[in-house]
Amino acid sequence: MNKCFKLEFTKYVDNSNKAEVKHLIFDLKNIYEDGSWDIETIKLLGEDAILKGIALEIYDKENNLVWSTFEDEKVLSNSTLNEIKRNMKSIDSKWNGNFKKYKIENYDNDKNIVGYSYIGHYESTYYMENDMDFLNIMNKFIIIIGVVSLAGIILISIIISKSISNPITKVSKMAKIIEEGNYKNKLDYKSNISEVKELIESINKLADALNEQEALRKRLTTDIAHELRTPLTSIKGHLDAIIDGIWEPTNERLISINEEVSRLSNLVDQLRNLEKVDREKNKLKIESVNLKELMQSIVYNYQSKALEKNINIKYESKDIEVFIDKEKFSQVIVNLLVNAIKFTNYKGQICIKTYLENGYINISIKDNGIGIPKDNIDYIFERFYRVDKSRNKDTGGIGVGLTIVKSIVNAHGGDIFVNSEINKGSEFIIKLPNNIK
Ligand code: ADP
């Protein structure tokens, strides 16, 4: 700003100095009238000119001095020119102070040359006292504006940096708290900066997710320990009795031990299955599948299992093309069908239907089995949840089948719903968006 201002001001001063010289030249036309020099006017013009840094010398035709600023206004010219020199040196120590002179001819009324006027001033731009005052005031203003702006910028920077660094410090403290295993804490900090808001939300979500995982891990450990203990106690009891010679290792006893071992291995298989689904739920191998054919082949495979309990499976479907991970989705249908067979009494009925409704592909698996009590319905999709452990004792499940079902259906962008009434039966309905690819 300062540089621009000085440049513009120099141009302005140069122009106004040139204008002064032009005025003087114009006025000097009328200083010889009626055969003599008008000394009064010359004096006035000379005084006025030197106050603006312009010296004037007038000689007649014979080169005799008529009037000179340096003679008649010696004191004023010395002080003015010295003042200019001082001013300019204070701005630029290399200022050369060269003088420039113009020669103008003076005429009488008949246009005859009567003498010469010499106008002189410093060659390079020069400032008078009032120019210097103006320049100094402007400099002061610029400095004040600069200082105020700088202070403002520093203040704004501090405010902005604080508004960013404060929450970041809080988030980093929260991260340390989380690192120490305190997942229940929440970062309660409001910020207007959207990135900071997102960061706070993310750290809170992270804490929630870790808290959920921690609870799950604890529950998983307890559940697995519990599930493993029952068959292991039974096997150990049998084996202890046989080793102590209390029981004979008869075929029936060995078969019973073998059944418990099978239960254990089934349990481990299901756990592995659950872990695999969790790990791969975001890696679907989507392909175009004819839903009718897929369901048909699953029904065929489980028909014999249903017949063991004299259960009739009814199946109706239209040709519907779906985009699904065939292998994973087959597991969904198998789990639901196996449950329906498991929880339906002898001579029961299972109806499977696939149909389109409101832009959704619906798959309904309905049985007239034992049903699910109302207050249990909300929990059946949770891991290791079984309605009543005693009623499921012989069904071999560990309560992960529906967890797997929900996880796979959700990964396909769909959802699953249950209608169930105790002793009347249950209906599981899968809804898949029709446009999934
Ligand atoms: P499990 O491996 O024990 O079958 P699931 O997650 O598949 O576990 O099911 C959870 C619980 O939901 C079951 O233990 C059972 O009590 C109940 N359930 C699931 N399907 C049915 C059904 N068709 N009829 C009645 N109860 C059911």
Side-chain angles (χ1 to χ4, degrees):
M1 234 180 118
N2 199 299
K3 276 203 169 165
C4 285
F5 173 73
K6 261 192 187 158
L7 205 72
E8 288 306 310
F9 187 67
T10 305
K11 275 188 206 162
Y12 164 78
V13 171
D14 265 345
N15 288 339
S16 65
N17 286 348
K18 274 180 196 149
E20 289 297 343
V21 171
K22 266 189 193 162
H23 271 130
L24 184 60
I25 292 171
F26 183 80
D27 291 339
L28 287 172
K29 279 181 185 164
N30 306 318
I31 53 168
Y32 190 88
E33 279 193 342
D34 302 329
S36 65
W37 296 95
D38 182 352
I39 297 296
E40 267 317 295
T41 308
I42 294 172
K43 216 174 161 176
L44 280 175
L45 289 174
E47 267 175 18
D48 189 48
I50 193 62
L51 286 173
K52 288 161 185 163
I54 304 166
L56 178 66
E57 282 178 308
I58 300 170
Y59 292 87
D60 64 14
K61 222 165 45 178
E62 283 79 36
N63 236 2
N64 299 317
L65 183 67
V66 177
W67 193 87
S68 166
T69 307
F70 302 112
E71 294 292 325
D72 289 65
E73 294 293 346
K74 207 173 188 168
V75 181
L76 190 62
S77 70
N78 275 347
S79 74
T80 308
L81 295 178
N82 282 338
E83 189 183 278
I84 293 174
K85 212 185 234 170
R86 244 193 346 264
N87 288 345
M88 297 317 290
K89 287 266 182 193
S90 72
I91 295 171
D92 176 11
S93 57
K94 285 180 198 141
W95 188 73
N96 60 29
N98 287 345
F99 224 69
K100 188 177 174 182
K101 271 189 178 178
Y102 310 85
K103 184 179 174 188
I104 292 153
E105 291 159 346
N106 292 100
Y107 302 96
D108 61 10
N109 295 346
D110 303 324
K111 304 277 181 225
N112 299 317
I113 293 177
V114 289
Y116 303 96
S117 297
Y118 294 91
I119 297 170
H121 58 73
Y122 285 116
E123 192 178 17
S124 50
T125 311
Y126 57 90
Y127 299 147
M128 303 303 297
E129 195 61 22
N130 51 350
D131 295 332
M132 281 304 285
D133 288 348
F134 180 71
L135 204 62
N136 285 338
I137 284 178
M138 284 315 285
N139 271 346
K140 264 184 206 153
F141 272 134
I142 290 170
I143 288 170
I144 290 169
I145 290 170
V147 170
V148 170
S149 310
L150 195 71
I153 289 167
I154 291 173
L155 198 75
I156 291 169
S157 308
I158 290 173
I159 292 170
I160 292 178
S161 71
K162 279 241 152 111
S163 70
I164 295 172
S165 74
N166 272 0
I168 288 177
T169 316
K170 288 216 155 74
V171 168
S172 115
K173 274 189 191 151
M174 178 71 179
K176 279 217 174 76
I177 293 174
I178 293 174
E179 193 191 319
E180 284 157 12
N182 305 312
Y183 308 131
K184 279 190 184 142
N185 290 37
K186 275 251 155 82
L187 186 55
D188 191 17
Y189 187 91
K190 301 264 172 300
S191 168
N192 295 328
I193 305 164
S194 63
E195 286 81 3
V196 172
K197 250 193 228 164
E198 270 174 36
L199 185 67
I200 293 172
E201 260 170 41
S202 304
I203 196 96
N204 281 339
K205 275 191 190 151
L206 178 72
D208 279 348
L210 286 170
N211 193 27
E212 219 171 86
Q213 286 298 316
E214 177 67 4
L216 194 71
R217 191 185 61 77
K218 281 186 186 153
R219 227 174 64 205
L220 204 71
T221 322
T222 332
D223 286 337
I224 292 171
H226 180 262
E227 293 300 327
L228 290 177
R229 201 182 316 117
T230 322
L232 278 176
T233 316
S234 161
I235 294 168
K236 191 168 168 16
H238 278 77
L239 289 177
D240 280 349
I242 290 170
I243 290 165
D244 292 347
I246 300 168
W247 283 345
E248 284 289 307
T250 59
N251 220 21
E252 292 89 69
R253 294 205 190 284
L254 289 175
I255 289 172
S256 160
I257 292 172
N258 194 31
E259 272 171 9
E260 291 299 335
V261 171
S262 299
R263 266 195 70 193
L264 270 178
S265 100
N266 177 30
L267 198 105
V268 172
D269 280 350
Q270 291 203 49
L271 282 175
R272 206 189 302 136
N273 204 359
L274 177 65
E275 188 273 328
K276 194 173 162 227
V277 168
D278 268 351
R279 185 164 28 91
E280 291 183 354
K281 70 178 170 200
N282 294 325
K283 286 189 225 153
L284 297 180
K285 282 186 222 135
I286 300 288
E287 57 185 306
S288 165
V289 175
N290 184 312
L291 192 60
K292 187 178 178 179
E293 285 168 15
L294 176 76
M295 302 285 290
Q296 194 82 64
S297 76
I298 297 171
V299 171
Y300 279 149
N301 286 342
Y302 284 84
Q303 202 99 50
S304 61
K305 206 172 173 66
L307 281 176
E308 282 172 17
K309 288 172 84 178
N310 229 335
I311 293 170
N312 175 36
I313 303 179
K314 235 173 84 185
Y315 173 57
E316 39 177 282
S317 169
K318 296 206 171 98
D319 268 323
I320 300 173
E321 193 201 13
V322 282
F323 292 90
I324 50 172
D325 183 318
K326 192 174 175 184
E327 196 191 314
K328 291 204 170 79
F329 207 78
S330 301
Q331 198 183 352
V332 169
I333 308 298
V334 167
N335 284 8
L336 292 175
L337 186 56
V338 168
N339 274 354
I341 299 171
K342 260 198 303 199
F343 300 107
T344 300
N345 298 322
Y346 279 84
K347 296 192 181 164
Q349 168 100 24
I350 296 172
C351 285
I352 302 174
K353 247 201 305 188
T354 51
Y355 55 98
L356 288 170
E357 191 183 75
N358 301 333
Y360 282 90
I361 298 160
N362 288 19
I363 304 164
S364 150
I365 299 177
K366 189 176 178 181
D367 63 60
N368 61 354
I370 60 173
I372 305 163
K374 256 200 175 69
D375 44 350
N376 293 84
I377 288 186
D378 288 345
Y379 306 104
I380 55 168
F381 293 104
E382 285 185 13
R383 275 159 211 256
F384 302 109
Y385 192 84
R386 286 179 294 169
V387 170
D388 170 6
K389 287 183 185 160
S390 64
R391 81 171 181 166
N392 297 345
K393 206 169 69 200
D394 302 323
T395 57
I398 58 163
V400 298
L402 290 180
T403 314
I404 292 173
V405 165
K406 192 169 169 68
S407 172
I408 296 174
V409 170
N410 288 161
H412 279 82
D415 214 344
I416 180 160
F417 305 91
V418 201
N419 299 316
S420 186
E421 212 176 308
I422 197 93
N423 290 331
K424 288 218 168 136
S426 316
E427 181 184 15
F428 287 81
I429 304 166
I430 298 169
K431 278 185 185 287
L432 290 179
N434 200 2
N435 53 354
I436 45 173
K437 270 201 176 126

